[in-house]
Amino acid sequence: MKCRICAGKAIIGLPQHNMALCAEHFDNWMLKRVSKAVDEFKMFSKKSNILVAVSGGKDSLALWDILVRLGYNASGLYINLGIEEDDYSDESEEFARSFAERVGRKLYIVDIEENHGMSIPEKAYTKRRKPCSACGVTKRYYMNKIARNESFDVIVTGHNLDDQAAALLGNVLYWKIDYLAKGAPYSPPIESGQFGKAKPLVFCTEKEDAVYCLLKGIPYIQKECPYSKGATSLRWKHILNEIEENSPGAKHAFYFDYVRNIDLFQAKEKEEELPPLTCEICGAPSWNYVCSFCRLWDLDKRGNLSCDMDQN
Ligand code: Q46
Ligand code: ZN
Ligand code: ZN
């Protein structure tokens, strides 16, 4: 396999682009893929204050590295969920911390057990909810809170093409129109003073992110969250990989043709707007008098755990 650009020894085949690249040209290509996503979807500029949600995994660390190399002003946020199985949370925090030191950028750390006296799996158990549902509400809350309090312009996440195409397949299969309206690579701020949400790795695959980390010597947590086992998104990824093997480029076409036509789904949904209420406990925008985060964590008006919390 030869590099399409210099004819040197290729280190990665990219059948979906009908080419292979050497280490140097693959590195350039990754930077270009991220720049293309940022420019094409008008995600942010060199003046923007960017918050990268990092998990300690290959995607978010590759993304943070690329943004720093491209000259963006990007800080990180790590949320320790308190998952003890496999030492998952503490190990992934260590990868996030050492990467922040390596690039010399600020890393905000939120420790759920320290803040709430309970880990995500423990809270989910007391509420008879799935850990991933408690996790989603909590991560969203803290990302939004830090972005608001620290005046970030945009929150970026390491979602890649595989993640986006898998989510799309799941949403199309069950025709979840409300989710289909929200699957774009970039959601601009709804009001001035708010922040946008961006996925600058949408043109890159999981495999490309892993190869990038390997080439740049970026250590990352290789194990998956123990609660991701059996997740439906993994099934959709598997199916899409089979299709891709026979029809290279199918995943890209599936997701980006949808993005081109996303207004068809958005037209069916009412105009996106901020929730009309503010949570009477934490003050965050909310669809109810008490937001889903404060309900999950049984917070009272002082932000403490209330006495009527579940004792299951
Ligand atoms: S939601 Fe679920 Fe993930 Fe949270 S509990 Fe683990 S698998 S980390 S993206
Ligand atoms: Zn080359
Ligand atoms: Zn609240």
Side-chain angles (χ1 to χ4, degrees), residues 11-12 36 114 148-149 160 164 194 212 221 234 243 259 287 297:
I11 52 110
I12 184 167
K36 177 178 154 77
E114 225 169 82
R148 229 182 5 253
N149 291 358
N160 54 45
Q164 295 302 99
Q194 287 284 319
Y212 178 85
I221 187 143
L234 295 180
I243 297 173
V259 171
W287 296 99
W297 289 99

Side-chain angles (χ1 to χ4, degrees), residues 129-141:
R129 283 173 73 157
K130 294 213 164 109
C132 292
S133 120
C135 182
V137 169
T138 307
K139 283 198 294 199
R140 233 179 350 265
Y141 174 84

Side-chain angles (χ1 to χ4, degrees), residues 10 38 57 73 75 87 94 128 131 134 149 180 230-231 233 247-248 270 277-278 284 291 295 308:
V38 172
N73 175 18
S75 305
D87 210 15
E94 214 25 66
R128 296 197 182 94
N149 291 358
L180 285 167
S233 59
S247 317
K270 61 179 171 19
L277 302 168
T278 38
C291 75
R295 264 183 286 134
D308 59 9

Side-chain angles (χ1 to χ4, degrees), residues 12-297:
I12 184 167
L14 301 162
Q16 72 276 34
H17 304 287
N18 200 16
M19 67 174 182
L21 292 173
C22 70
E24 185 192 333
H25 288 117
F26 173 69
D27 183 55
N28 289 343
W29 187 79
M30 283 294 282
L31 299 193
K32 280 193 199 138
R33 299 301 276 175
V34 170
S35 293
K36 177 178 154 77
V38 172
D39 296 345
E40 198 166 310
F41 298 105
K42 300 184 177 61
M43 292 177 172
F44 42 79
S45 73
K46 292 276 159 67
K47 287 190 194 136
S48 306
N49 200 10
I50 301 166
L51 182 63
V52 189
V54 287
S55 64
K58 59 184 183 321
D59 304 296
S60 53
L61 294 185
L63 173 60
W64 198 3
D65 193 65
I66 293 172
L67 291 178
V68 169
R69 288 180 66 201
L70 289 171
Y72 288 105
N73 175 18
S75 305
L77 164 64
Y78 176 80
I79 301 175
N80 188 313
L81 308 165
I83 296 174
E84 285 177 359
E85 290 96 322
D86 245 356
D87 210 15
Y88 178 73
S89 286
D90 288 348
E91 261 187 43
S92 49
E93 179 176 327
E94 214 25 66
F95 284 107
R97 274 182 189 276
S98 53
F99 184 77
E101 257 171 50
R102 167 182 166 144
V103 285
R105 296 299 166 107
K106 184 172 172 98
L107 177 67
Y108 295 83
I109 294 185
V110 173
D111 190 307
I112 299 300
E113 217 166 344
E114 225 169 82
N115 286 6
H116 301 283
M118 222 186 272
S119 69
I120 289 285
E122 284 166 342
K123 181 44 117 179
Y125 181 75
T126 66
K127 289 282 186 172
R128 296 197 182 94
R129 283 173 73 157
K130 294 213 164 109
C132 292
S133 120
C135 182
V137 169
T138 307
K139 283 198 294 199
R140 233 179 350 265
Y141 174 84
Y142 278 108
M143 280 196 256
N144 292 346
K145 180 175 173 164
I146 302 234
R148 229 182 5 253
N149 291 358
E150 305 290 318
S151 307
F152 282 98
D153 300 304
V154 61
I155 300 175
V156 305
T157 54
H159 292 95
N160 54 45
L161 178 59
D162 298 84
D163 298 320
Q164 295 302 99
L168 174 60
L169 180 58
N171 292 336
V172 164
L173 213 53
Y174 295 102
W175 288 113
K176 295 183 180 168
I177 303 290
D178 47 342
Y179 286 111
L180 285 167
K182 292 176 189 155
Y186 176 60
S187 313
I190 298 166
E191 278 182 356
S192 74
Q194 287 284 319
F195 41 84
K197 291 189 176 170
K199 301 175 175 90
L201 287 181
V202 275
F203 286 120
C204 309
T205 64
E206 238 166 63
K207 176 179 149 195
E208 290 154 17
D209 297 345
V211 172
Y212 178 85
C213 286
L214 268 171
L215 280 179
K216 305 309 287 179
I218 299 172
Y220 62 87
I221 187 143
Q222 307 225 358
K223 51 190 161 195
E224 300 291 338
C225 172
Y227 295 100
S228 68
K229 281 190 195 102
T232 45
S233 59
L234 295 180
R235 219 178 313 144
W236 308 143
K237 279 185 185 176
H238 181 75
I239 291 167
L240 286 166
N241 284 341
E242 276 189 357
I243 297 173
E244 182 77 21
E245 209 157 287
N246 292 312
S247 317
K251 221 183 272 181
H252 182 282
F254 178 51
Y255 179 65
F256 285 102
D257 285 348
Y258 150 75
V259 171
R260 260 187 291 284
N261 292 295
I262 197 166
D263 47 351
L264 297 176
F265 301 103
Q266 288 170 337
K268 288 213 176 298
E269 279 292 291
K270 61 179 171 19
E271 284 231 330
E272 214 177 327
E273 54 185 27
L274 268 183
L277 302 168
T278 38
C279 169
E280 51 185 43
I281 296 189
C282 72
S286 172
W287 296 99
N288 295 299
Y289 293 112
V290 176
C291 75
S292 45
F293 173 82
C294 290
R295 264 183 286 134
L296 172 72
W297 289 99

